[in-house]
Amino acid sequence: MVTRVATVAFEGIEARAVDVQVQIIPGSVQFAVVGLPDKAVAESRERVRGALIASGLALPAKRITVNLAPADLPKEGSHYDLPIALGVMAAIGAIPADALGGYCVLGELALDGTITAVNGVLPAAIAAGARGLGLICPAPCGPEAAWAGGDLDVLAPRSLIQLANHFKGSQVMARPEPAVAASAGPLPDLRDIKGQEGAKRALEIAASGGHNLLMNGPPGAGKSMLAARLPSILPPLTPRELLDISMIQSVAGELRGGALSTRRPFRQPHHSASMAALVGGGCHFQQTLRLI
Ligand SMILES: Nc1ncnc2c1ncn2[C@@H]1O[C@H](COP(=O)(O)OP(=O)(O)OP(=O)(O)O)[C@@H](O)[C@H]1O
Ligand SMILES: [Mg+2]
């Protein structure tokens, strides 16, 4: 029999559906992960084995095959540990076979069976909601997942044992609450700028009308200083903007403790920086370019 667990693969901030299929059959003792896994995914075998043993579950002395479908989509990251472990647990009867049907699962495992934080929980939660599924994610990421909507069923366990107890009904977990990061001090203020009345007026018009600004002037004229003060006169983030910005921060691993920041992001790359220096190179270059 094949046990299936839903999870995701990230393409930029897009969470694509991935199906983790676990099959345990008689044969030579083996634990294989197939379906274009990268090094971190291939190594998840060892973390899953260690976490299951630490949780009091021994892997059966049989042939365990894990397939990550679709097989032609590259899988990277450590968030496949938890869906693989839960697939094995369901296959050996440690949790009810039908318990996982309604959930999308992501999380990394430590060798002692605790579930550690991963990137991209917010886009995964939104994708799970769109597919009509709930989400199982690490406890530190629970507040982030809770932002995806009040009707999304979110389970944020600390360990495999806590999750198994939840499914058995002996220790039912509460839904995590969405969290907002405490403000990191006041934003730079327009009143710091001496004179420059024309430039300040241009800044206000651009902010209220949502226009682009081109700043031109000699070094030290205050261009960067003016630009850094623009977020302070922009309106608060709309819920849609907050989600868009937070999804990027989530995939980049910049959300501290799963709390979303209501502060408008401000970047100041140098004007002579090349496109590759701005958005990074490597195999994700094209993906990143598509995002911006
Ligand atoms: N109108 C101003 N009021 C107060 N301080 C100013 C003003 N203009 C410039 N400064 C001071 O000069 C510093 C340099 O300004 P800033 O870095 O904004 O210049 P810039 O136009 O961006 O220069 P560059 O072209 O070299 O990037 C500021 O950090 C600020 O301390
Ligand atoms: Mg400057």
Side-chain angles (χ1 to χ4, degrees):
M1 203 189 87
V2 177
T3 313
R4 290 165 180 267
V5 185
T7 185
V8 288
F10 295 105
E11 273 189 330
I13 57 165
E14 244 170 73
R16 299 240 340 238
V18 168
D19 194 24
V20 177
Q21 303 160 359
V22 181
Q23 188 182 44
I24 302 183
I25 50 173
S28 57
V29 180
Q30 196 191 1
F31 189 170
V33 179
V34 296
L36 278 191
D38 79 344
K39 189 78 178 137
V41 184
E43 283 178 348
S44 79
R45 283 180 308 181
E46 303 308 322
R47 290 189 293 273
V48 168
R49 197 195 306 270
L52 288 179
I53 291 172
S55 309
L57 297 166
L59 282 180
K62 290 184 178 172
R63 186 186 178 94
I64 304 174
T65 309
V66 176
N67 180 33
L68 307 172
D72 59 346
L73 178 72
K75 321 292 181 315
E76 45 186 49
S78 55
H79 65 272
Y80 296 98
D81 292 2
L82 188 57
I84 293 174
L86 293 185
V88 173
M89 283 168 78
I92 62 176
I95 51 174
D98 57 351
L100 301 170
Y103 290 100
C104 173
V105 184
L106 77 167
E108 182 181 324
L109 285 174
L111 292 180
D112 62 357
T114 53
I115 303 170
T116 51
V118 289
N119 297 342
V121 168
L122 182 61
I126 291 172
R131 286 158 65 193
L133 298 173
L135 187 84
I136 301 178
C137 66
C141 307
E144 183 183 331
W147 274 96
D151 48 352
L152 182 80
D153 183 8
V154 180
L155 295 179
R158 301 206 166 275
S159 64
L160 284 180
I161 294 177
Q162 195 187 6
L163 189 61
N165 287 343
H166 174 85
F167 285 133
K168 278 188 215 141
S170 56
Q171 185 196 11
V172 176
M173 279 181 285
R175 187 181 194 276
E177 291 298 321
V180 176
S183 154
L187 289 168
D189 199 311
L190 259 191
R191 75 171 151 214
D192 302 336
I193 298 167
K194 307 276 178 276
Q196 295 279 27
E197 296 308 326
K200 281 194 264 189
R201 176 94 182 112
L203 220 57
E204 286 162 3
I205 293 170
S208 49
H211 308 298
N212 297 327
L213 268 170
L214 172 68
M215 301 202 189
N216 187 18
K223 302 182 294 294
S224 301
M225 192 178 177
L226 280 157
R229 278 144 186 84
L230 186 62
S232 72
I233 57 168
L234 285 169
L237 292 173
T238 63
R240 180 74 236 173
E241 286 174 329
L242 181 67
L243 273 189
D244 282 349
I245 293 165
S246 303
M247 282 205 281
I248 296 171
Q249 291 171 338
S250 171
V251 171
E254 287 177 5
L255 290 181
R256 303 268 165 271
L260 269 54
S261 167
T262 52
R263 182 174 275 219
R264 283 190 182 273
F266 176 69
R267 300 265 180 283
Q268 45 180 351
H270 196 263
H271 55 78
S272 66
S274 66
M275 180 65 92
L278 275 177
V279 300
C283 60
H284 301 300
F285 184 52
Q286 290 302 331
Q287 275 178 22
T288 323
L289 274 184
R290 248 193 4 218
L291 273 177
I292 57 174

